[in-house]
Amino acid sequence: QQQVKQSPQSLIVQKGGISIINCAYENTAFDYFPWYQQFPGKGPALLIAIRPDVSEKKEGRFTISFNKSAKQFSLHIMDSQPGDSATYFCAASSSSGTYKYIFGTGTRLKVLA
Amino acid sequence: NAGVTQTPKFQVLKTGQSMTLQCAQDMNHEYMSWYRQDPGMGLRLIHYSVGAGITDQGEVPNGYNVSRSTTEDFPLRLLSAAPSQTSVYFCASSRPGQGLPYGYTFGSGTRLTVV
C-alpha cells in the first residue's frame, strides 16, 4: 500500500531527446506527487510537483503527466541536455496523515552530448 | 538564508561507537525528517517530526533515536554503530500549508562509514 515503484532504473538519452521516467503508486490516499533531482554529492532538490486535481503540469522543459485511474505519474524532460544528467526520484505524500513522503528507488539519467 | 544545515559532512565510526548527526533549519518549518540513501534503494525514511516535541518512526528506525526540542533542530543519534548503517544520511524540512503537503528542502547530506 505504501510503495512507489519507479522505472527505469537507468536511462541514456541523446542530447535533444525526450527523457521519460515513470512511477506507479498503490495508496489512493496519496495526493501530492513531487519529483526530485539529485546531482552527485548533493541533496535532492524539488524539481516539479503535481496534485491530482490536474492531469498535467509543465515547468519549462519539465512536464509531469498524471493518470489518477491508473495510479501512475511520469516525468518528461523535453530537449534533454547534458546538464540534466542526474538521479531523479519520484515521491508521494498524503494530506490525510502525517505528510510522510514515500520515495521511488530513483532513475539515473545520462544525457549524451 | 542557510536552509537545512547538516553536520558533519563526513564521518568514520568504529563498530559499537555512538554519535549524533546534527540537522538545523532556519525556515521555521514544522516538518523535519531523516532519510538514508543506499544504492538501488532510494531514500528510506528513518524518523520524522511534525513539530517540536513530536516524533515518530519511519520505515527503518532500528538503531536510531531522534528528539525535537526546538523547531529548528532535529538531531539523529546512532546508538551503537553497525556496518549496516554505512550510508548517506539526509535531513529534510517542510512546512505544509492549508492542510496540504509541500516539497521538502534537503540538506547536503552526511556520508557515514562504519568500520
Side-chain angles (χ1 to χ4, degrees):
Chain A
Q1 276 288 319
Q2 289 292 318
Q3 282 188 321
V4 175
K5 296 181 180 179
Q6 183 172 347
S7 63
Q9 191 172 20
S10 63
L11 183 62
I12 299 175
V13 174
Q14 293 288 338
K15 178 182 176 182
I18 302 173
S19 304
I20 301 174
I21 305 170
N22 300 299
C23 282
Y25 63 98
E26 299 171 354
N27 188 345
T28 55
F30 288 147
D31 57 7
Y32 179 69
F33 304 93
W35 284 89
Y36 283 81
Q37 180 187 56
Q38 184 182 31
F39 294 105
K42 304 292 185 182
L46 180 64
L47 185 64
I48 187 173
I50 196 168
R51 300 189 194 278
D53 52 343
V54 296
S55 60
E56 185 175 281
K57 182 174 182 180
K58 183 176 181 178
E59 290 184 2
R61 296 184 293 109
F62 300 91
T63 300
I64 299 180
S65 297
F66 182 77
N67 185 330
K68 188 174 182 178
S69 61
K71 292 186 284 186
Q72 295 175 346
F73 58 109
S74 60
L75 176 69
H76 295 237
I77 306 174
M78 312 300 287
D79 187 26
S80 298
Q81 299 297 312
D84 297 329
S85 297
T87 299
Y88 293 81
F89 293 96
C90 63
S93 183
S94 170
S95 57
S96 61
T98 56
Y99 306 132
K100 288 189 297 184
Y101 273 37
I102 305 298
F103 281 88
T105 52
T107 296
R108 184 172 294 183
L109 172 66
K110 185 175 178 66
V111 181
L112 302 176
Chain B
N1 221 357
V4 178
T5 302
Q6 289 185 240
T7 56
K9 293 190 183 302
F10 301 93
Q11 183 70 49
V12 178
L13 286 180
K14 293 182 179 179
T15 298
Q17 286 185 318
S18 62
M19 80 159 294
T20 299
L21 279 61
Q22 301 292 342
C23 176
Q25 53 92 8
D26 61 359
M27 298 172 286
N28 199 30
H29 283 176
E30 299 169 44
Y31 287 10
M32 297 186 74
S33 298
W34 276 102
Y35 289 87
R36 59 177 289 173
Q37 184 175 24
D38 303 291
M41 304 194 74
L43 293 151
R44 293 184 293 169
L45 182 63
I46 304 171
H47 285 285
Y48 66 100
S49 169
V50 300
I54 306 169
T55 63
D56 205 347
Q57 297 180 350
E59 302 172 68
V60 289
N62 292 339
Y64 308 95
N65 272 354
V66 292
S67 60
R68 184 99 179 267
S69 57
T70 67
T71 299
E72 294 78 18
D73 300 298
F74 191 42
L76 178 72
R77 298 182 187 85
L78 278 68
L79 308 174
S80 178
S84 61
Q85 293 179 304
T86 294
S87 186
V88 181
Y89 292 84
F90 288 101
C91 178
S93 73
S94 175
R95 182 172 61 193
Q98 300 176 329
L100 299 174
Y102 278 81
Y104 268 105
T105 299
F106 280 82
S108 56
T110 294
R111 185 174 296 272
L112 176 68
T113 302
V114 183
V115 298

